[in-house]
Amino acid sequence: MAKAGFPVTTEQLIVSVEQYLKEIKRPCVLFNHGRPGRTWVKAIIRRNPTISKRISQDLTASRAKVTGDHLSEWYKRVYKELEDSVQA
């Protein structure tokens, strides 16, 4: 999602981990009901300095000036990312 320009929210990360653990059928006794909590997310961010937490910002004038060509290129990049993730 980040490659496509959409940052992952804390809730999305928690749900992804929960789904992954269910998919591989690995119970995790550290999490309540198999779901990591916010303290787990904070600990992951602390242990992995390459992960950064970002706060959304208002739309700037330069970002608001998007043309049809820009949108077309963006959709092509997103489509390619989706194709690559399906093939992986």
Side-chain angles (χ1 to χ4, degrees), residues 4 8 10 13 17 23 31 38 41-45 49-52 55 58 61 64 67-69 71-72 76-77 87:
V8 176
T10 301
L13 177 61
V17 171
E23 185 178 303
F31 303 149
R38 296 197 181 273
V41 173
K42 289 178 185 175
I44 288 292
I45 291 172
T50 58
I51 299 173
S52 63
I55 299 172
D58 291 335
T67 65
D69 292 337
L71 288 175
S72 178
K76 287 177 187 175
R77 285 196 321 266
Q87 293 174 359

Side-chain angles (χ1 to χ4, degrees), residues 8-37:
V8 176
T9 66
T10 301
E11 185 62 26
Q12 288 170 331
L13 177 61
I14 290 171
V15 170
S16 294
V17 171
E18 179 183 23
Q19 288 175 344
Y20 178 72
L21 290 173
K22 286 180 183 176
E23 185 178 303
I24 64 171
K25 295 179 175 74
R26 179 180 172 192
C28 186
V29 295
L30 299 175
F31 303 149
N32 290 334
H33 309 290
R35 183 180 173 94

